Amino acid sequence: MERNWLREFAYEMALNGLDADNLADANTAYLIASWALVNNVEFLDPRAILSVRNSMRAAISNSPDVIAMSNADKQIAAETLIYNTVLVMANRVQIAATRDSALHAAAAKHYGDGFRELGIDLKALQLTNHTFVSIR
């Protein structure tokens, strides 16, 4: 039986207090899932997820760029983030199942490089109960 990644994603989102239809929550999911893959973290504290979600919601609701977006553009952005998060989830599951260090290294490089292009060094962050903190 094939896995239904979108169903699993929606379940995980709801389980962690995230709304798959919310752009900030989609950003939160992608950031945290990518961070966990890059840093080889298996367990994520639900309190940390909610804290990052709250910070992301505040930042996005005050972003002039997001405010200027049409609802359709916000929907496209959220769907793109959801798709990318599902890919991160699939990679994490495959890495955990196979313990394939080469796959992990390649995936970590891919997601790490993508966030570095945005000015975020995922390796330099630690997720606490309250938020991400710089460890470098």
Side-chain angles (χ1 to χ4, degrees):
M1 182 177 196
E2 276 191 38
R3 293 181 82 144
N4 184 323
W5 289 103
L6 287 176
R7 184 180 300 132
E8 286 185 43
F9 173 77
Y11 174 77
E12 289 292 326
M13 290 280 286
L15 186 66
N16 287 293
L18 300 172
D19 178 358
D21 293 325
N22 183 298
L23 179 57
D25 290 11
N27 266 290
T28 299
Y30 184 55
L31 172 62
I32 290 175
S34 298
W35 173 83
L37 186 147
V38 166
N39 290 286
N40 202 23
V41 173
E42 292 185 28
F43 174 77
L44 297 168
D45 185 336
R47 295 172 298 175
I49 294 169
L50 291 177
S51 180
V52 172
R53 178 206 65 187
N54 293 340
S55 297
M56 188 71 74
R57 284 182 177 181
I60 285 184
S61 69
N62 293 314
S63 167
D65 291 338
V66 174
I67 292 168
M69 292 172 73
S70 70
N71 286 338
D73 287 341
K74 290 176 189 173
Q75 182 66 31
I76 290 168
E79 288 176 6
T80 300
L81 288 164
I82 289 167
Y83 173 76
N84 283 307
T85 305
V86 168
L87 292 175
V88 174
M89 286 174 56
N91 275 299
R92 288 184 68 204
V93 167
Q94 182 69 20
I95 291 163
T98 64
R99 299 290 181 207
D100 184 336
S101 60
L103 175 60
H104 180 251
K109 180 177 179 353
H110 171 77
Y111 293 108
D113 288 351
F115 274 90
R116 254 189 305 288
E117 289 176 12
L118 300 172
I120 301 169
D121 182 357
L122 294 176
K123 287 296 263 183
L125 297 176
Q126 180 178 4
L127 184 58
T128 69
N129 297 15
H130 305 291
T131 191
F132 280 108
V133 294
S134 177
I135 56 175
R136 292 187 187 157

